[in-house]
Amino acid sequence: MPGLGRILVVILEGHNLIASDVNGKSDPYCEVSMGSQEHKTKVINATLNPKWNSSMQFTVKDIKEDVLCITVYDRDLFTPNDFLGRTEVRIAAILKENQEKKGPITKRLALHEVDSGEVVVKLNIQLYES
């Protein structure tokens, strides 16, 4: 089924991520998914405040059901990657804010299941003409 539109996502940066390496830092990257679609940012070495500036886009298939999920990991070379938190935002909520602002929105999203950390994202949904 063709999509209803697309969402342009820019993963801008992270703040106060938890340290998972012995040096008190992490090598963080994000996995961003919506349904079966998935993109990753690059890894930024040795920081708790990474600046990713990573652009990606996803096809919007269902405005009511689609949820954008962002998970942050610490990249480890020889052991499994460590979980640094996750957050999600509903497409319906983004669309409402895009329409109110008449353009892209920038959000600071707190990471869940960890003690600290947030990601800053820029989001813009473009619906196709029906």
Side-chain angles (χ1 to χ4, degrees):
M1 140 179 155
L4 301 172
R6 61 185 182 162
I7 177 165
L8 306 177
V9 178
V10 185
I11 306 291
L12 293 169
E13 56 193 18
H15 291 287
N16 298 322
L17 300 181
I18 58 172
S20 73
D21 291 342
V22 286
N23 63 4
K25 305 276 193 204
S26 290
D27 302 320
Y29 71 95
C30 294
E31 280 183 8
V32 187
S33 65
M34 194 166 82
S36 60
Q37 307 170 75
E38 186 174 279
H39 293 285
K40 290 181 181 161
T41 67
K42 60 187 182 291
V43 174
I44 309 286
N45 290 324
T47 181
L48 302 179
N49 298 288
K51 297 210 180 329
W52 288 294
N53 288 318
S54 188
S55 299
M56 51 194 73
Q57 72 177 26
F58 297 88
T59 301
V60 175
K61 296 190 171 117
D62 186 328
I63 289 165
K64 290 189 187 70
E65 296 297 321
D66 282 349
V67 176
L68 187 75
C69 301
I70 303 167
T71 309
V72 186
Y73 293 99
D74 168 54
R75 204 262 322 256
D76 287 317
L77 290 179
F78 304 111
T79 56
N81 293 336
D82 296 315
F83 175 79
L84 300 183
R86 64 185 292 277
T87 188
E88 54 187 41
V89 57
R90 301 184 64 80
I91 293 302
I94 300 168
L95 184 60
K96 186 167 176 280
E97 288 191 58
N98 281 158
Q99 288 167 338
E100 287 166 3
K101 289 248 170 62
K102 297 188 175 20
I105 56 167
T106 301
K107 291 181 88 63
R108 292 176 81 98
L109 302 168
L111 295 172
H112 303 297
E113 298 167 47
V114 286
D115 292 336
S116 75
E118 54 187 16
V119 289
V120 182
V121 296
K122 190 165 134 192
L123 305 165
N124 193 19
I125 295 177
Q126 299 172 335
L127 294 180
Y128 304 135
E129 299 297 320
S130 52

